[in-house]
């Protein structure tokens, strides 16, 4: 090997090492971000998650930002008096199947809107909402 060849191979070697180091640190960053994301998720309490979903699904547009009711829909604080968890989830998925009930006849007269069905939502998310509503006081 000539001197020139030695220099060239030394440079190439150095370049390769730098390249590998940059790749390794880069993938480390991504893993860290993912870890943060999931650890934030698990740290947030179900309570916050329920409220977040209620905002996200725009339940508050009708039931009010404080869930105490508006001209469009009743308050949700008495949900725990009427519903078991599984019935409440079923109701959210398909409100019209509970129409016959006297309470709902009253709602029909009192409110011009109807409760939309949320059957297209993830049932686990509806469960989180149900948990939240059943704890409201
Ligand atoms: C378009 C307006 C509207 C939206 C949006 C809406 N609701 Fe309703 N909701 C109503 C109305 C009106 C009623 C009264 C019953 C009926 O008319 O079907 C009701 C009834 C309810 C009840 C039953 C109350 C009782 O006394 O048992 C629950 C629980 C409920 N809504 C939860 C929710 C949740 C959770 C969301 C969001 C995922 C939501 N609602 C979104 C209008 C709405």
């Amino acid at each position: 090997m000539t001197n020139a060849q030695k220099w060239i191979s030394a440079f190439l070697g150095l370049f390769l090492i730098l390249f590998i180091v940059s790749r390794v640190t880069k993938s480390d960053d991504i893993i860290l971000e993912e870890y943060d994301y999931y650890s934030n998720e698990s740290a947030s309490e179900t309570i916050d998650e329920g409220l977040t979903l209620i905002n996200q699904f725009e339940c508050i547009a009708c039931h009010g930002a404080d869930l105490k009711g508006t001209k469009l829909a009743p308050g949700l604080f008495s949900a725990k008096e009427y519903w078991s968890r599984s019935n409440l989830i079923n109701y959210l998925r398909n409100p019209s199947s509970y129409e016959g009930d006297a309470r709902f006849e009253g709602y029909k007269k009192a409110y011009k809107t109807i409760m939309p069905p949320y059957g297209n939502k993830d049932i686990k998310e509806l469960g989180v909402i149900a948990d939240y509503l059943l704890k409201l006081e």
Side-chain angles (χ1 to χ4, degrees):
M1 242 198 249
T2 66
N3 257 352
Q5 280 172 330
K6 276 184 195 159
W7 276 111
I8 289 169
S9 48
F11 267 117
L12 283 179
L14 193 67
F15 185 77
L16 194 68
I17 288 166
L18 283 176
F19 179 74
I20 290 169
V21 166
S22 77
R23 286 305 286 256
V24 167
T25 46
K26 205 173 189 182
S27 67
D28 268 347
D29 281 345
I30 290 165
I31 290 167
L32 251 175
E33 272 166 27
E34 276 174 4
Y35 176 76
D36 279 352
Y37 176 74
Y38 287 114
S39 63
N40 281 343
E41 278 271 298
S42 59
S44 76
E45 295 190 0
T46 324
I47 298 283
D48 296 336
E49 224 179 307
L51 195 57
T52 306
L53 287 169
I54 285 171
N55 278 286
Q56 209 174 309
F57 293 176
E58 298 183 344
C59 317
I60 58 170
C62 294
H63 290 283
D66 53 5
L67 301 181
K68 288 189 173 154
T70 68
K71 279 182 200 154
L72 299 177
L76 297 178
F77 278 71
S78 43
K80 59 185 170 308
E81 291 167 29
Y82 306 123
W83 300 104
S84 68
R85 184 177 193 270
S86 57
N87 282 349
L88 182 52
I89 294 173
N90 280 333
Y91 173 75
L92 296 176
R93 289 170 58 80
N94 187 14
S96 60
S97 63
Y98 290 80
E99 258 172 1
D101 202 292
R103 181 156 47 94
F104 288 102
E105 290 306 315
Y107 285 155
K108 218 185 252 174
K109 290 190 191 113
Y111 305 105
K112 289 195 184 81
T113 58
I114 55 159
M115 169 69 188
Y118 288 90
N120 62 340
K121 300 291 186 193
D122 182 350
I123 194 151
K124 281 188 202 137
E125 294 184 321
L126 296 180
V128 172
I129 290 180
D131 287 337
Y132 180 79
L133 293 179
L134 294 173
K135 274 189 206 137
L136 273 182
E137 351 197 290

